[in-house]
Amino acid sequence: MDLILDTHTHTIASGHAYNTINEMVRSAADKGLKLLGITDHAPMMPGSCSYMNFLNFRALRREKYGVKLLFGAELDILNKDGMLDLRGDAIEALDIGIASIHEPCYKPGTAQENLNAYIKAMKNPHVNIIGHPDDGRFPVDMEKLVLAARENHVLLELNNASLNPNGFRQDAEKNDLEMLRLCKIYGQPVIISSDAHIEEEVGNFGRAVKVIEKAGFPEELVINTSIDKLYEYLGTGN
């Protein structure tokens, strides 16, 4: 399986990542990626950048070192109503939006409350991907989440960093296998991401690919094999 794009990476603007845009793009080019998403954390994540960082995306080139670039955000879901931490002109400036639950920004709820938060976030037209829905600290009815993603034309993420045995997300592999089982049944595509916070991790999909293989998940439902497949979910032909 030829995975040519990585849509979830972080730079020093996120406050807890360690490389610049140029360093991340150069790493993507060296690894043969055709497209890279720079998705720094939105403002409610402690230490991250202000909304002005996102408003000024017009200043950035959309291709470097032969790699197409998308500039977006990993948006924080703030509450059970799916409120996000970018609005107005700042969220409209995004090329790509990933909505995720993070403990510093969201108080864990019941499975139903967490599901409601995800679904309401999906209904925001600037959300294209639900990030790492595999964290057992935030339980969710996975079947209902998969069906909601299909209904709202939103991708579900298989996050390579979640599967790091030294990471902090709980029961990620078990939850990812269940997500993939249900996505296979309902024909819901997934997108694999590195969630890289350092240049060496750009395009690192190794743990995620092992889970894909373990699940017997079909290649045609993996968005990373085609830029055109991704653009269809972003609503752009660029």
Side-chain angles (χ1 to χ4, degrees):
M1 185 163 50
D2 188 16
L3 305 178
I4 62 170
L5 56 92
D6 188 355
T7 54
H8 184 168
T9 67
H10 297 273
T11 74
I12 53 174
S14 284
H16 58 275
Y18 302 96
N19 289 99
T20 65
I21 291 172
N22 278 355
E23 290 166 343
M24 298 295 274
V25 180
R26 174 59 75 185
S27 180
D30 290 346
K31 294 169 182 176
L33 294 181
K34 304 303 182 186
L35 181 146
L36 182 70
I38 301 290
T39 51
D40 284 308
H41 285 283
M44 287 301 293
M45 176 62 70
S48 194
C49 48
S50 78
Y51 76 99
M52 288 299 299
N53 178 77
F54 306 98
L55 279 176
N56 202 38
F57 279 165
R58 66 178 72 86
L60 299 171
R61 291 167 51 188
R62 290 324 197 257
E63 185 167 339
K64 279 191 171 191
Y65 312 129
V67 179
K68 293 181 182 294
L69 299 176
L70 298 172
F71 290 96
E74 185 173 14
L75 303 154
D76 295 295
I77 299 175
L78 301 178
N79 56 34
K80 313 308 184 293
D81 293 323
M83 181 182 292
L84 304 173
D85 55 346
L86 278 184
R87 301 177 188 82
D89 291 346
I91 199 169
E92 290 175 5
L94 306 182
D95 298 329
I96 186 169
I98 303 170
S100 304
I101 288 177
H102 297 103
E103 195 167 39
C105 305
Y106 179 95
K107 183 179 178 181
T110 65
Q112 186 60 53
E113 288 171 333
N114 298 335
L115 177 66
N116 290 343
Y118 278 129
I119 291 175
K120 289 180 180 179
M122 287 180 191
K123 294 184 181 300
N124 187 306
H126 302 290
V127 170
N128 311 111
I129 299 169
I130 294 296
H132 47 75
D134 54 13
D135 191 343
R137 296 176 300 170
F138 310 102
V140 67
D141 184 318
M142 193 62 77
E143 184 167 20
K144 290 180 180 177
L145 184 70
V146 169
L147 289 171
R150 188 177 70 164
E151 179 181 348
N152 290 283
H153 199 61
V154 170
L155 295 168
L156 296 176
E157 180 187 72
L158 180 60
N159 187 297
N160 193 73
S162 290
L163 296 160
N164 186 335
N166 297 317
F168 50 83
R169 294 178 190 139
Q170 296 177 5
D171 299 320
E173 181 172 344
K174 180 184 75 173
N175 293 331
D176 283 331
L177 286 169
E178 177 66 0
M179 180 181 77
L180 293 173
R181 183 184 73 82
L182 292 163
C183 285
K184 184 177 178 180
I185 290 171
Y186 292 112
Q188 166 63 31
V190 301
I191 190 158
I192 303 173
S193 78
S194 69
D195 198 356
H197 287 63
I198 190 167
E199 61 180 322
E200 290 87 352
E201 287 298 305
V202 172
N204 181 0
F205 306 128
R207 292 181 291 268
V209 168
K210 287 181 180 178
V211 172
I212 287 276
E213 292 171 348
K214 188 173 182 178
F217 194 73
E219 181 175 332
E220 59 267 24
L221 291 178
V222 178
I223 293 293
N224 304 68
T225 60
S226 167
I227 292 176
D228 288 339
K229 284 183 183 179
L230 175 64
Y231 284 160
E232 195 271 325
Y233 269 84
L234 301 181
T236 178
N238 293 334

